[in-house]
Amino acid sequence: MNRSVEAPLPRFPVSVTVDIVIFTIRDDELSVLLIERGKEPHLGRSALPGGYVRPGEDLDGAALRELVEETGLDGRSLHLEQLRSYGAPDRDPRGRVITVAYLALGPDLPTPTAGTDAAGAAWTPVGKALDPGFTLSFDHRAILTDAVERARAQLEYTTVAAGFCREPFTISDLRRVYEVIWGVALDPSNFRRKVTKTAGFVEPTGERRAAEAGRPAALYRFGGARVLYPPLLRTG
Amino acid sequence: MNRSVEAPLPRFPVSVTVDIVIFTIRDDELSVLLIERGKEPHLGRSALPGGYVRPGEDLDGAALRELVEETGLDGRSLHLEQLRSYGAPDRDPRGRVITVAYLALGPDLPTPTAGTDAAGAAWTPVGKALDPGFTLSFDHRAILTDAVERARAQLEYTTVAAGFCREPFTISDLRRVYEVIWGVALDPSNFRRKVTKTAGFVEPTGERRAAEAGRPAALYRFGGARVLYPPLLRTG
DNA sequence: TCAAAAGTGTTGTGAATACACCCATGG
DNA sequence: CCATGGGTGTATTCACAACACTTTTGA
């Protein structure tokens, strides 16, 4: 019956965490960074990296901090956005924990081995991580599933795909991102036209990159645009 | 330096609330349900309805309960979805409060006057609520802004617009939803074609409704489809 | 019979596909 | 000179915006 936020606080023990789904593309597969849990519960099982929100910290700040701690990278160079929150009463056996999940993505990142928390962290193809035989801790399977769905949708009407490519990149690099995440083959020539015609998606550097085979490809960098209008539709 | 969730919990005082942006369309205006706060802080100011998440309660459950308490309606008949979470350390002067914002929408709802918490609740046009001269409590202006943006985007690629119409409804009713929320005029004939051709968006009841003027319009009910493919684009 | 809104038909424009074809490089 | 991928040209198809036009009602 209580309306809105009113003092005094009818408080009960709650903790708030952030969990981060960090995507990258490795060996033409969408991969997620998973850590091996070092403590109970779920000791030894795979889990998404994450941690507690600290007293003076914004949610985005907590996510950024965890991201840097886990990957050892400059967090500002990675795309990071809030996914959604999860708060089922029984999601953590130790008590009430609400987690705010984040989605991060970056270009083919190095395997995290820096002496930090990243020990025990490994890139795992999402196909493997979501396989029925693979066990994820807590409700992390649901979080990962939602993150994949979000990433797929984002490709359609935003330019986040460029975030998976290290600059400078070729149009083929960018196309492979779409093909891997959507799991479809795209027509190279039509894809090129669509992308180069969309203002602000990519801009040419003027350089070229020698390929393993065939004609060298022109190089591009990200153009800064955020939305993709009209969207790149998945069905054609 | 802590990784993931680990015992013992490095807990500090946190509260978790849900706040709900409840939209409806009244007098051809997108309107939001705002309550007048009865206590400090922000006593007397307008705020989004909301309240604390209870110990045994899921986030969605808390949102649904608050929705029912505020509107006195059957919550299951309303569209309800999580928007995002807000957790700036200073967003509530009484302490650390993380809120999970929800977006709800329904057909022209009655003014809530039932003897519950709804006293002091009123439908407010969002244009007025977001006017610089209008004061909203906490960070509710930001939440409302995000909710409007989400609603606008949802119209494009989902069928939520039907949730604003009481069944049975006419194609014009549905079109008015788009026109009001997007703030544009749509061509009636092209809109009709688009909507009726999209499988599962609307299905005819066979009935007609006498209009104030002109030819009676055929009546439809929602067809059950969730996504709208291809999307209804805002720009021509 | 007129106004007003519902609903249909038609046409021109532009985007997306499918695919033929040329380009540049390594072997 | 052949294989391989990069990149361009182009015809066909299709969706959509624009708008003329017909239908059905109340006044």
Side-chain angles (χ1 to χ4, degrees):
Chain A
M1 291 298 175
N2 46 25
R3 174 210 316 166
S4 187
V5 276
E6 294 166 353
L9 302 178
R11 189 175 279 154
F12 63 95
V14 189
S15 295
V16 178
T17 61
V18 291
D19 284 314
I20 316 185
V21 180
I22 311 171
F23 282 142
T24 195
I25 291 180
R26 291 174 73 90
D27 304 324
D28 283 348
E29 276 190 300
L30 180 64
S31 300
V32 59
L33 189 72
L34 296 179
I35 59 141
E36 188 179 332
R37 286 186 54 78
K39 294 184 178 172
E40 291 291 355
H42 300 295
L43 189 145
R45 281 198 192 157
S46 290
L48 295 171
Y52 290 96
V53 174
R54 294 179 182 171
E57 208 172 40
D58 190 3
L59 296 176
D60 287 5
L64 188 60
R65 174 180 53 76
E66 290 289 342
L67 179 62
V68 170
E69 285 178 12
E70 299 293 345
T71 65
L73 293 176
D74 175 22
R76 277 169 296 276
S77 68
L78 276 71
H79 177 91
L80 181 66
E81 66 172 57
Q82 192 183 307
L83 182 60
R84 63 166 290 161
S85 296
Y86 300 80
D90 58 351
R91 62 177 295 279
D92 190 312
R94 288 163 301 169
R96 196 68 199 269
V97 180
I98 275 91
T99 195
V100 184
Y102 276 78
L103 174 63
L105 53 89
D108 190 358
L109 301 167
T111 305
T113 49
T116 67
D117 301 338
W123 292 106
T124 310
V126 295
K128 182 180 168 192
L130 290 176
D131 185 276
F134 194 93
T135 307
L136 279 171
S137 309
F138 308 106
D139 51 2
H140 289 185
R141 171 184 297 275
I143 297 176
L144 179 55
T145 302
D146 289 348
V148 171
E149 197 179 322
R150 169 80 133 253
R152 288 204 171 118
Q154 294 268 59
L155 289 197
E156 293 192 48
Y157 45 84
T158 76
T159 58
V160 288
F164 282 104
C165 299
R166 188 180 307 286
E167 293 185 339
F169 54 85
T170 69
I171 299 292
S172 292
D173 292 338
L174 188 59
R175 176 167 49 86
R176 240 156 254 142
V177 172
Y178 279 87
E179 292 181 327
V180 164
I181 297 182
W182 283 353
V184 298
L186 298 175
D187 183 294
S189 52
N190 293 333
F191 180 84
R192 145 179 304 282
R193 247 188 300 263
K194 179 91 187 181
V195 160
T196 53
K197 268 186 188 169
T198 302
F201 197 171
V202 297
E203 49 188 37
T205 65
E207 305 288 309
R208 294 173 160 275
R209 173 192 294 167
E212 302 157 3
R215 174 175 170 178
L219 290 170
Y220 296 81
R221 67 178 139 257
F222 178 49
R226 212 179 85 263
V227 294
L228 200 48
Y229 227 86
L232 245 163
L233 294 187
R234 214 131 118 222
T235 61
Chain B
M1 291 297 172
N2 46 25
R3 174 209 315 165
S4 189
V5 276
E6 291 167 352
L9 303 177
R11 188 174 281 155
F12 63 96
V14 188
S15 296
V16 178
T17 60
V18 292
D19 284 314
I20 317 184
V21 180
I22 311 172
F23 282 143
T24 197
I25 291 181
R26 290 173 74 88
D27 304 325
D28 284 347
E29 277 192 297
L30 181 63
S31 301
V32 59
L33 189 72
L34 297 180
I35 59 144
E36 188 179 331
R37 287 186 55 77
K39 293 183 181 173
E40 289 292 353
H42 300 296
L43 189 145
R45 280 197 193 159
S46 289
L48 295 171
Y52 289 98
V53 175
R54 294 179 181 170
E57 208 173 40
D58 191 4
L59 296 177
D60 288 5
L64 188 60
R65 175 180 52 75
E66 290 289 342
L67 179 62
V68 170
E69 285 178 12
E70 300 292 344
T71 65
L73 294 176
D74 176 21
R76 279 170 295 278
S77 67
L78 277 70
H79 177 90
L80 180 66
E81 66 173 57
Q82 192 182 307
L83 182 61
R84 64 165 290 161
S85 296
Y86 300 80
D90 59 351
R91 62 177 295 280
D92 190 313
R94 288 163 301 170
R96 194 70 199 266
V97 180
I98 276 92
T99 195
V100 185
Y102 277 77
L103 173 63
L105 53 89
D108 190 359
L109 301 167
T111 304
T113 49
T116 67
D117 301 340
W123 292 107
T124 311
V126 294
K128 183 181 168 191
L130 290 177
D131 185 276
F134 194 94
T135 307
L136 280 172
S137 308
F138 307 108
D139 51 1
H140 289 185
R141 170 183 298 272
I143 297 176
L144 179 55
T145 301
D146 289 349
V148 170
E149 196 178 324
R150 170 81 134 253
R152 287 204 172 120
Q154 293 269 58
L155 289 198
E156 292 192 49
Y157 45 83
T158 77
T159 59
V160 288
F164 282 105
C165 300
R166 188 180 307 286
E167 295 184 339
F169 53 85
T170 68
I171 300 292
S172 291
D173 292 338
L174 188 60
R175 176 168 48 86
R176 240 156 254 142
V177 171
Y178 280 86
E179 293 182 328
V180 164
I181 297 182
W182 284 352
V184 298
L186 298 176
D187 183 295
S189 52
N190 293 331
F191 180 83
R192 147 180 304 280
R193 247 187 302 263
K194 181 88 187 185
V195 161
T196 52
K197 269 186 188 168
T198 302
F201 197 171
V202 297
E203 50 188 36
T205 65
E207 305 288 309
R208 292 173 161 276
R209 172 192 295 169
E212 302 158 3
R215 175 176 172 175
L219 290 170
Y220 296 81
R221 65 179 139 256
F222 178 49
R226 213 179 85 264
V227 294
L228 201 48
Y229 227 83
L232 246 163
L233 294 188
R234 212 132 115 225
T235 61

